[in-house]
Amino acid sequence: MKKIGILFGMENTFPNAFIERVNSKGEPDIIAEAVSIDKVAQAAPTEYAVIIDRISQDVPFYRAYLKNAAISGTAVINNPFWWSADEKFFNNALAEKIGVPVPKTVLLPSKERPDGTSETSFRNLAFPMAWEEIFEYVGFPAYMKPHDGGGWKSVYKVVNPHDMWFKHEETGQLVMMLQEEIEFTDYVRCYCIGQKDVLIMPYEPRNPHHLRYASELKATGEEREKLLETIKDYTLRLNQALGYDFNTVEFAVRDGIPYAIDFCNPAPDADIYSVGPDNFEWVVEAAANMAIERAKQQVPGQVNLTWGTFMKDAIQTAPSQKASEPTPEPIPSAKEVNVKAVTPKKSVKPPKAGGDEPIAEPDPQMPTERAAATKAPAKNSKLKKS
């Protein structure tokens, strides 16, 4: 018997419907249930062939449990190793590389230094940064958001540089990104299941949460069909490159071009009361079919994770270590090794009177009066204050 488990938190409608749908299909030797964890021992396999993860982004204990399960043979959806490393700024860079339009975006250093760091930790960060070039590239108005966040948390609309610096004061240790605003005529959210099934849902992010799916595409006729075809193509490209089996992608359409806005949602909203009955039915059926397929493919004792083409291509094109390294010289035997005494060219400074330890060279001194990277520009900046 192969078990399909679902790991979840406060949500109710999707997990229960998913379990019922899998079990209603009557697949021989396959059953679905809520995951139950009573102990987690290193390298110990779980009782599940497949686990659908809906909560580990908020619970580090679950993330560690899923990695242990994955290395012991469970097909975890989505891949917990990739999800731990993934973030939105990287996704934007990858989208550009695979030909999917995205808003112009730059990375900003955090307002506050990370715990355990000092000014010396940032000696490679230019003061001031190239703000003129950054603002010219992105333009205003723009959006400032966490480079690895989600759920519309800590998202700010900024209208000029001084507005950005003022709002950046609130962001603490968050690493933010500044992103071009896309004035859109249409907006869609797309489920992508199993890197092959796509559902395109008209979506209005400016509406209250419960009304965001109460929208219709404005594009019509041939323009509409072309737009939908392009959106589906971009959705598949992104998920196949990232390796996500359960994700949503959001597109803002400007001048007929869909720009990928958000595509790092591997535990996306699937509640019937927000997505609506029709969309809910689609995602439950598609997720159930995918989980059953993965359970049938799962091989106990081996890694059954999904990896995207980005990782696969990187591994396949990496230079061979053996081919790149020169052949080492033969190591002489112990009898042939001659040990020579080495006299240092410069002696250590003698201790001061009363001391019994050599004086170590001092740490490099760093200037202390510098403009913060995300405050108003320093005096020598070319950026005009207005």
Side-chain angles (χ1 to χ4, degrees):
M1 177 69 70
K2 286 192 173 183
K3 286 187 177 182
I4 297 172
I6 183 166
L7 186 68
F8 59 100
M10 296 178 65
E11 65 175 340
N12 291 311
T13 59
F14 175 73
N16 292 328
F18 170 81
I19 292 170
E20 292 175 4
R21 185 63 54 88
V22 171
N23 292 336
S24 70
K25 292 182 177 293
E27 290 285 344
D29 299 322
I30 291 180
I31 188 173
E33 64 181 33
V35 170
S36 178
I37 305 169
D38 59 0
K39 64 179 182 298
V40 183
Q42 61 186 18
T46 71
E47 58 185 309
Y48 301 101
V50 176
I51 293 178
I52 305 292
D53 173 24
R54 302 284 298 166
I55 188 61
S56 77
Q57 75 276 7
D58 295 328
V59 184
F61 171 78
Y62 286 158
R63 178 59 58 86
Y65 162 77
L66 290 171
K67 289 179 177 179
N68 192 62
I71 202 172
S72 302
T74 300
V76 180
I77 300 171
N78 288 290
N79 184 331
F81 295 98
W82 176 247
W83 193 359
S84 297
D86 193 20
E87 39 88 349
K88 293 180 183 296
F89 186 73
F90 165 78
N91 284 355
N92 267 43
L94 180 61
E96 282 206 16
K97 296 296 184 182
I98 62 175
V100 176
V102 287
K104 298 173 184 177
T105 307
V106 296
L107 194 66
L108 305 177
S110 58
K111 172 64 181 70
E112 298 176 4
R113 299 187 189 112
D115 294 337
T117 66
S118 66
E119 186 176 2
T120 308
S121 305
F122 293 87
R123 64 179 70 184
N124 298 107
L125 185 63
F127 290 84
M129 295 181 68
W131 291 115
E132 295 92 343
E133 297 174 23
I134 289 172
F135 297 150
E136 183 179 356
Y137 171 68
V138 175
F140 287 100
Y143 284 94
M144 184 172 62
K145 60 181 74 172
H147 86 300
D148 61 350
W152 291 86
K153 296 177 182 177
S154 301
V155 176
Y156 301 85
K157 183 173 182 176
V158 294
V159 296
N160 57 46
H162 299 287
D163 187 34
M164 187 207 76
W165 285 316
F166 176 76
K167 290 172 180 174
H168 197 265
E169 293 283 331
E170 303 177 6
T171 60
Q173 295 183 15
L174 292 175
V175 175
M176 307 294 283
M177 59 187 194
L178 187 66
Q179 187 169 84
E180 171 192 15
E181 180 184 42
I182 303 294
E183 288 284 354
F184 58 87
T185 52
D186 272 315
Y187 199 100
V188 298
R189 197 163 196 247
C190 310
Y191 276 115
C192 188
I193 306 293
Q195 299 182 31
K196 60 183 180 181
D197 295 324
V198 175
L199 174 66
I200 301 173
M201 304 172 289
Y203 187 77
E204 178 48 81
R206 295 168 293 199
N207 283 349
H209 187 76
H210 68 288
L211 295 176
R212 290 182 180 176
Y213 292 92
S215 179
E216 295 290 339
L217 285 179
K218 297 179 180 65
T220 59
E222 185 176 343
E223 179 187 355
R224 175 191 176 98
E225 294 305 312
K226 182 180 179 181
L227 177 62
L228 293 175
E229 182 179 342
T230 302
I231 288 173
K232 181 177 181 180
D233 173 48
Y234 287 170
T235 300
L236 291 172
R237 282 197 219 181
L238 289 168
N239 283 278
Q240 289 166 4
L242 293 166
Y244 284 133
D245 283 313
F246 197 151
N247 193 15
T248 54
V249 182
E250 295 181 16
F251 292 95
V253 182
R254 181 178 67 185
D255 298 329
I257 299 173
Y259 290 83
I261 300 295
D262 185 29
F263 41 100
C264 183
N265 298 292
D269 180 16
D271 184 80
I272 190 172
Y273 298 110
S274 60
V275 303
D278 293 339
N279 296 332
F280 181 79
E281 167 62 26
W282 185 95
V283 73
V284 169
E285 179 68 12
N289 290 336
M290 174 192 62
I292 291 170
E293 181 180 350
R294 292 295 298 276
K296 291 178 178 178
Q297 296 171 350
Q298 187 256 0
V299 179
Q302 75 173 34
V303 176
N304 292 280
L305 296 174
T306 296
W307 294 96
T309 54
F310 169 76
M311 288 296 296
K312 292 177 182 177
D313 292 346
I315 293 170
Q316 291 171 358
T317 58
S320 170
Q321 185 178 12
K322 292 183 179 179
S324 61
E325 291 182 354
T327 304
E329 294 293 330
I331 300 175
S333 66
K335 293 180 181 180
E336 296 174 322
V337 176
N338 295 319
V339 180
K340 297 181 180 180
V342 179
T343 302
K345 294 181 180 179
K346 186 177 181 182
S347 60
V348 179
K349 294 180 181 179
K352 293 182 179 179
D356 53 7
E357 292 292 336
I359 300 174
E361 291 292 333
D363 289 332
Q365 297 297 312
M366 301 296 293
T368 56
E369 295 184 3
R370 286 184 169 183
T374 50
K375 279 185 175 292
K379 294 180 181 179
N380 62 337
S381 173
K382 297 178 183 179
L383 186 64
K384 295 181 180 179
K385 297 180 180 180
S386 58

